[in-house]
Coordinates of all heavy atoms in Angstrom, one line a residue:
M577 N 32.8 -7.8 13.6 CA 32.6 -7.0 12.5 C 32.8 -5.5 12.9 O 32.3 -5.0 13.8 CB 31.2 -7.2 12.0 CG 31.1 -7.4 10.5 SD 29.4 -7.4 9.8 CE 28.9 -9.0 10.3
T578 N 33.5 -4.9 11.9 CA 33.8 -3.5 12.2 C 32.6 -2.6 11.7 O 31.8 -3.1 10.9 CB 35.1 -3.0 11.4 OG1 34.8 -3.1 10.0 CG2 36.3 -3.9 11.8
P579 N 32.5 -1.4 12.1 CA 31.5 -0.5 11.6 C 31.5 -0.3 10.1 O 30.5 -0.2 9.5 CB 31.7 0.8 12.4 CG 32.4 0.4 13.6 CD 33.2 -0.8 13.2
D580 N 32.7 -0.3 9.5 CA 32.8 -0.2 8.1 C 32.2 -1.4 7.4 O 31.6 -1.2 6.4 CB 34.3 0.0 7.7 CG 34.9 1.3 8.1 OD1 34.1 2.3 8.3 OD2 36.1 1.4 8.2
D581 N 32.5 -2.6 7.9 CA 31.8 -3.8 7.4 C 30.3 -3.7 7.4 O 29.7 -4.1 6.5 CB 32.4 -5.0 8.1 CG 33.8 -5.4 7.8 OD1 34.4 -4.8 6.8 OD2 34.4 -6.1 8.6
E582 N 29.8 -3.3 8.5 CA 28.4 -3.2 8.7 C 27.8 -2.2 7.7 O 26.7 -2.5 7.1 CB 28.0 -2.8 10.2 CG 28.3 -4.0 11.1 CD 28.0 -3.6 12.5 OE1 27.3 -2.6 12.7 OE2 28.3 -4.4 13.5
D583 N 28.5 -1.1 7.5 CA 28.0 -0.1 6.6 C 28.0 -0.6 5.1 O 27.0 -0.4 4.4 CB 28.9 1.2 6.6 CG 28.6 2.0 7.9 OD1 27.7 1.8 8.6 OD2 29.6 2.8 8.2
L584 N 29.0 -1.4 4.8 CA 29.1 -2.0 3.5 C 27.9 -3.0 3.3 O 27.3 -3.0 2.3 CB 30.4 -2.7 3.3 CG 30.7 -3.3 1.9 CD1 30.6 -2.3 0.9 CD2 32.0 -4.0 1.9
I585 N 27.7 -3.8 4.3 CA 26.6 -4.8 4.2 C 25.2 -4.1 4.1 O 24.4 -4.4 3.3 CB 26.6 -5.7 5.5 CG1 27.8 -6.6 5.4 CG2 25.3 -6.5 5.6 CD1 28.0 -7.4 6.6
R586 N 25.0 -3.0 4.9 CA 23.8 -2.2 4.8 C 23.6 -1.6 3.4 O 22.5 -1.6 2.9 CB 23.7 -1.2 5.9 CG 23.7 -1.7 7.3 CD 22.3 -2.4 7.6 NE 22.4 -2.9 8.9 CZ 22.1 -4.1 9.3 NH1 21.8 -5.0 8.3 NH2 22.1 -4.6 10.5
A587 N 24.7 -1.1 2.9 CA 24.6 -0.5 1.5 C 24.2 -1.5 0.5 O 23.5 -1.2 -0.4 CB 26.0 0.2 1.2
R588 N 24.8 -2.7 0.6 CA 24.5 -3.8 -0.4 C 23.0 -4.2 -0.2 O 22.3 -4.5 -1.2 CB 25.4 -5.0 -0.2 CG 26.8 -4.7 -0.7 CD 27.6 -6.0 -0.5 NE 29.0 -5.7 -0.9 CZ 30.0 -6.6 -0.6 NH1 29.9 -7.6 0.0 NH2 31.2 -6.2 -1.1
Q589 N 22.5 -4.3 1.0 CA 21.2 -4.7 1.3 C 20.2 -3.7 0.7 O 19.2 -4.0 0.1 CB 20.9 -4.9 2.7 CG 21.5 -6.1 3.3 CD 21.3 -6.2 4.9 OE1 21.1 -5.2 5.5 NE2 21.4 -7.4 5.4
K590 N 20.6 -2.4 0.9 CA 19.7 -1.3 0.4 C 19.7 -1.3 -1.2 O 18.7 -1.1 -1.7 CB 20.3 0.1 0.9 CG 19.4 1.3 0.7 CD 19.9 2.5 1.4 CE 19.1 3.6 1.2 NZ 19.6 4.8 1.8
S591 N 20.8 -1.6 -1.8 CA 20.9 -1.7 -3.2 C 20.0 -2.8 -3.7 O 19.3 -2.7 -4.7 CB 22.4 -1.8 -3.6 OG 22.4 -2.0 -5.0
R592 N 20.1 -4.0 -3.1 CA 19.3 -5.1 -3.5 C 17.8 -4.9 -3.3 O 17.0 -5.2 -4.2 CB 19.7 -6.4 -2.7 CG 20.9 -7.0 -3.2 CD 21.2 -8.3 -2.5 NE 22.5 -8.7 -2.4 CZ 23.2 -8.9 -1.3 NH1 22.5 -8.9 -0.1 NH2 24.5 -9.1 -1.3
A593 N 17.5 -4.1 -2.2 CA 16.0 -3.8 -2.0 C 15.5 -2.9 -3.0 O 14.4 -3.1 -3.6 CB 15.9 -3.2 -0.6
R594 N 16.3 -1.9 -3.5 CA 15.9 -1.0 -4.6 C 15.7 -1.7 -5.9 O 14.7 -1.5 -6.6 CB 16.9 0.1 -4.7 CG 16.9 1.2 -3.7 CD 17.8 2.3 -3.9 NE 17.8 3.3 -2.9 CZ 18.7 4.2 -2.7 NH1 19.7 4.3 -3.5 NH2 18.5 5.1 -1.7
I595 N 16.6 -2.7 -6.1 CA 16.5 -3.4 -7.4 C 15.3 -4.3 -7.4 O 14.5 -4.4 -8.3 CB 17.8 -4.3 -7.6 CG1 19.0 -3.4 -8.0 CG2 17.6 -5.3 -8.7 CD1 20.3 -4.1 -8.0
M596 N 15.0 -5.0 -6.3 CA 13.8 -5.8 -6.1 C 12.5 -5.0 -6.3 O 11.6 -5.4 -6.9 CB 13.8 -6.5 -4.8 CG 14.8 -7.7 -4.8 SD 14.7 -8.9 -6.1 CE 13.1 -9.5 -5.7
A597 N 12.5 -3.8 -5.7 CA 11.4 -2.9 -5.8 C 11.1 -2.5 -7.2 O 10.0 -2.5 -7.7 CB 11.6 -1.6 -4.9
L598 N 12.2 -2.1 -8.0 CA 12.1 -1.8 -9.4 C 11.6 -3.0 -10.2 O 10.7 -2.7 -11.1 CB 13.4 -1.3 -9.9 CG 13.8 0.1 -9.4 CD1 15.2 0.5 -9.9 CD2 12.9 1.2 -9.9
L599 N 12.1 -4.1 -9.9 CA 11.6 -5.3 -10.7 C 10.1 -5.6 -10.4 O 9.4 -5.9 -11.3 CB 12.5 -6.5 -10.3 CG 13.9 -6.5 -10.8 CD1 14.7 -7.7 -10.3 CD2 13.9 -6.6 -12.4
L600 N 9.7 -5.4 -9.1 CA 8.3 -5.7 -8.8 C 7.4 -4.6 -9.5 O 6.4 -5.0 -10.0 CB 8.2 -5.6 -7.3 CG 6.7 -5.8 -6.7 CD1 6.2 -7.1 -7.2 CD2 6.7 -5.6 -5.3
L601 N 7.9 -3.4 -9.5 CA 7.1 -2.3 -10.1 C 7.0 -2.6 -11.6 O 5.9 -2.4 -12.2 CB 7.8 -1.0 -9.9 CG 7.1 0.2 -10.6 CD1 5.7 0.4 -10.0 CD2 8.0 1.5 -10.4
A602 N 8.1 -3.0 -12.3 CA 8.1 -3.4 -13.7 C 7.1 -4.5 -14.0 O 6.4 -4.5 -15.0 CB 9.5 -3.7 -14.2
F603 N 7.1 -5.5 -13.1 CA 6.2 -6.6 -13.3 C 4.7 -6.1 -13.2 O 3.9 -6.5 -14.0 CB 6.4 -7.7 -12.2 CG 5.5 -8.9 -12.3 CD1 5.6 -9.8 -13.4 CD2 4.5 -9.1 -11.3 CE1 4.7 -10.8 -13.4 CE2 3.6 -10.1 -11.4 CZ 3.7 -11.0 -12.5
V604 N 4.4 -5.3 -12.2 CA 3.1 -4.8 -12.1 C 2.6 -4.0 -13.2 O 1.5 -4.2 -13.8 CB 2.9 -3.9 -10.7 CG1 1.7 -3.2 -10.7 CG2 3.1 -4.8 -9.5
I605 N 3.5 -3.1 -13.8 CA 3.2 -2.4 -15.0 C 3.0 -3.3 -16.2 O 2.1 -3.0 -17.0 CB 4.3 -1.3 -15.2 CG1 4.3 -0.2 -14.1 CG2 4.2 -0.7 -16.6 CD1 5.5 0.7 -14.1
L606 N 3.8 -4.3 -16.3 CA 3.6 -5.3 -17.4 C 2.3 -6.0 -17.4 O 1.6 -6.0 -18.3 CB 4.7 -6.3 -17.4 CG 4.7 -7.4 -18.5 CD1 4.9 -6.8 -19.8 CD2 5.7 -8.4 -18.2
V607 N 1.9 -6.4 -16.1 CA 0.6 -7.1 -16.0 C -0.6 -6.1 -16.3 O -1.5 -6.5 -17.0 CB 0.5 -7.7 -14.6 CG1 -0.9 -8.2 -14.4 CG2 1.5 -8.9 -14.4
F608 N -0.4 -4.9 -15.8 CA -1.4 -3.9 -16.1 C -1.6 -3.6 -17.5 O -2.7 -3.5 -18.1 CB -1.1 -2.6 -15.3 CG -2.1 -1.5 -15.5 CD1 -3.3 -1.5 -14.9 CD2 -1.7 -0.4 -16.3 CE1 -4.2 -0.5 -15.1 CE2 -2.7 0.6 -16.5 CZ -3.9 0.6 -15.9
A609 N -0.4 -3.4 -18.2 CA -0.4 -3.1 -19.7 C -1.1 -4.3 -20.4 O -1.8 -4.1 -21.4 CB 1.0 -2.8 -20.2
I610 N -0.7 -5.5 -20.1 CA -1.3 -6.7 -20.8 C -2.8 -6.7 -20.6 O -3.6 -7.0 -21.5 CB -0.6 -8.0 -20.3 CG1 0.8 -8.0 -20.9 CG2 -1.4 -9.2 -20.8 CD1 1.6 -9.1 -20.3
S611 N -3.3 -6.4 -19.4 CA -4.7 -6.4 -19.1 C -5.4 -5.3 -19.9 O -6.5 -5.6 -20.4 CB -4.9 -6.1 -17.6 OG -4.3 -7.2 -16.8
I612 N -4.8 -4.2 -20.0 CA -5.5 -3.1 -20.7 C -5.5 -3.4 -22.2 O -6.6 -3.3 -22.9 CB -4.6 -1.8 -20.6 CG1 -4.7 -1.3 -19.2 CG2 -5.1 -0.7 -21.6 CD1 -6.1 -0.9 -18.7
V613 N -4.5 -4.0 -22.8 CA -4.5 -4.4 -24.2 C -5.6 -5.6 -24.4 O -6.3 -5.5 -25.4 CB -3.1 -4.9 -24.6 CG1 -3.2 -5.6 -26.0 CG2 -2.1 -3.8 -24.7
K614 N -5.6 -6.5 -23.5 CA -6.7 -7.6 -23.7 C -8.1 -7.0 -23.5 O -9.0 -7.4 -24.3 CB -6.5 -8.6 -22.6 CG -5.2 -9.5 -22.8 CD -5.1 -10.5 -21.7 CE -5.5 -11.9 -22.3 NZ -5.3 -13.0 -21.3
I615 N -8.3 -6.1 -22.7 CA -9.6 -5.4 -22.6 C -9.9 -4.7 -23.9 O -11.1 -4.8 -24.3 CB -9.7 -4.5 -21.3 CG1 -9.7 -5.3 -20.0 CG2 -10.9 -3.6 -21.4 CD1 -9.5 -4.4 -18.8
Q616 N -9.0 -3.9 -24.4 CA -9.2 -3.2 -25.6 C -9.5 -4.1 -26.8 O -10.3 -3.8 -27.7 CB -8.1 -2.3 -26.0 CG -8.0 -1.1 -25.1 CD -6.8 -0.3 -25.3 OE1 -5.9 -0.6 -26.1 NE2 -6.7 0.9 -24.7
M617 N -8.9 -5.4 -26.8 CA -9.1 -6.3 -27.9 C -10.4 -7.1 -27.6 O -10.7 -7.9 -28.5 CB -7.9 -7.2 -28.0 CG -6.7 -6.5 -28.5 SD -5.2 -7.5 -28.6 CE -5.7 -8.6 -29.9
G618 N -11.0 -7.1 -26.5 CA -12.2 -7.8 -26.2 C -11.9 -9.2 -25.8 O -12.8 -10.1 -25.9
M619 N -10.7 -9.5 -25.5 CA -10.3 -10.9 -25.0 C -10.7 -11.1 -23.6 O -10.7 -10.2 -22.8 CB -8.8 -11.1 -25.2 CG -8.4 -11.0 -26.7 SD -6.6 -11.1 -26.8 CE -6.3 -12.8 -26.3
P620 N -11.1 -12.3 -23.2 CA -11.4 -12.6 -21.8 C -10.1 -12.5 -21.0 O -9.0 -12.8 -21.4 CB -11.9 -14.0 -21.8 CG -11.5 -14.7 -23.1 CD -11.3 -13.5 -24.1
L621 N -10.2 -12.1 -19.8 CA -9.1 -11.9 -18.9 C -8.6 -13.1 -18.2 O -7.5 -13.2 -17.7 CB -9.3 -10.8 -17.9 CG -9.5 -9.4 -18.4 CD1 -9.8 -8.4 -17.2 CD2 -8.2 -8.9 -19.1
R622 N -9.4 -14.2 -18.2 CA -9.0 -15.4 -17.5 C -8.1 -16.2 -18.3 O -8.0 -16.0 -19.6 CB -10.2 -16.2 -17.1 CG -11.2 -16.5 -18.2 CD -12.5 -17.1 -17.6 NE -13.5 -16.9 -18.7 CZ -14.2 -17.8 -19.2 NH1 -14.1 -19.0 -18.7 NH2 -15.0 -17.6 -20.2
A623 N -7.4 -17.1 -17.7 CA -6.2 -17.8 -18.4 C -6.7 -19.1 -18.9 O -6.0 -20.1 -18.8 CB -5.1 -18.0 -17.4
T624 N -7.8 -19.2 -19.6 CA -8.3 -20.5 -20.1 C -8.1 -20.5 -21.6 O -7.9 -19.5 -22.3 CB -9.7 -20.8 -19.7 OG1 -10.6 -19.7 -20.2 CG2 -9.9 -21.0 -18.3

């Protein structure tokens, strides 16, 4: 593998890592927002 190939692979891995981090952050924000709305509505937080 040439150094250029390795740089390309590393760039793709870095890009995927950023996308996964953003998706995880979006999920955490969504769960937090749902929890806040449920608390304000007086709904129980458990999934029953």
Side-chain angles (χ1 to χ4, degrees):
M577 222 187 285
T578 67
D580 289 336
D581 290 339
E582 290 180 11
D583 290 342
L584 182 61
I585 290 170
R586 295 288 179 237
R588 287 181 182 168
Q589 287 175 338
K590 191 173 184 180
S591 175
R592 282 190 210 123
R594 285 183 179 166
I595 290 170
M596 289 304 296
L598 288 174
L599 288 173
L600 180 60
L601 179 64
F603 178 72
V604 168
I605 290 170
L606 178 66
V607 170
F608 179 74
I610 290 171
S611 298
I612 294 298
V613 169
K614 287 180 106 177
I615 288 169
Q616 288 177 348
M617 293 178 68
M619 298 173 65
L621 292 178
R622 52 194 160 123
T624 57

